């Protein structure tokens, strides 16, 4: 079972967390199953960037991304070359390390 290390986030997850995922789950689904309240304003439909995360380790082990995800990521705050939408990033067989950005582009909140 691959391990997901969520780095500390001062609001959502002050102490960070280490979770185990089933291969084939999305990062967002794993987080929500463990009561980590990542934003996902579009309900996992790849239509917003509120579930944006940065993969600090293990990026290559995630599923590939679509052109649609790439277009949506362009709207994310704090975008980096290791950015993914957690609703679209499917966990492979290797451990990953995830940073949740401090801010999101959520106009509803």
């Amino acid at each position: 079972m691959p391990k997901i290390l969520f780095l500390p986030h001062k609001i959502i997850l002050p102490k960070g967390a280490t979770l185990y995922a089933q291969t084939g789950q999305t990062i967002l689904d794993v987080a929500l199953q463990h009561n980590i309240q990542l934003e996902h304003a579009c309900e996992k439909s790849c239509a917003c960037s509120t579930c944006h995360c940065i993969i600090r380790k293990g990026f290559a082990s995630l599923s590939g991304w679509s052109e649609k995800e790439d277009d949506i990521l362009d709207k994310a705050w704090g975008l980096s070359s290791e950015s993914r939408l957690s609703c679209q990033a499917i966990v492979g067989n290797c451990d990953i390390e995830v940073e949740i950005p401090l801010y999101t582009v959520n106009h509803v909140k």
Side-chain angles (χ1 to χ4, degrees), residues 30-77:
V30 174
L32 294 176
Q33 286 173 352
H34 292 88
N35 297 315
I36 298 172
Q37 299 304 311
L38 285 178
E39 289 192 52
H40 53 287
C42 71
E43 295 299 321
K44 307 183 221 177
S45 66
C46 193
C48 73
S49 64
T50 60
C51 72
H52 166 235
C53 63
I54 302 167
I55 311 304
R56 294 297 180 197
K57 291 184 183 169
F59 187 86
S61 70
L62 297 172
S63 62
W65 61 90
S66 67
E67 189 175 321
K68 182 177 180 181
E69 179 182 359
D70 197 39
D71 289 345
I72 297 297
L73 272 171
D74 285 342
K75 302 172 189 172
W77 182 89

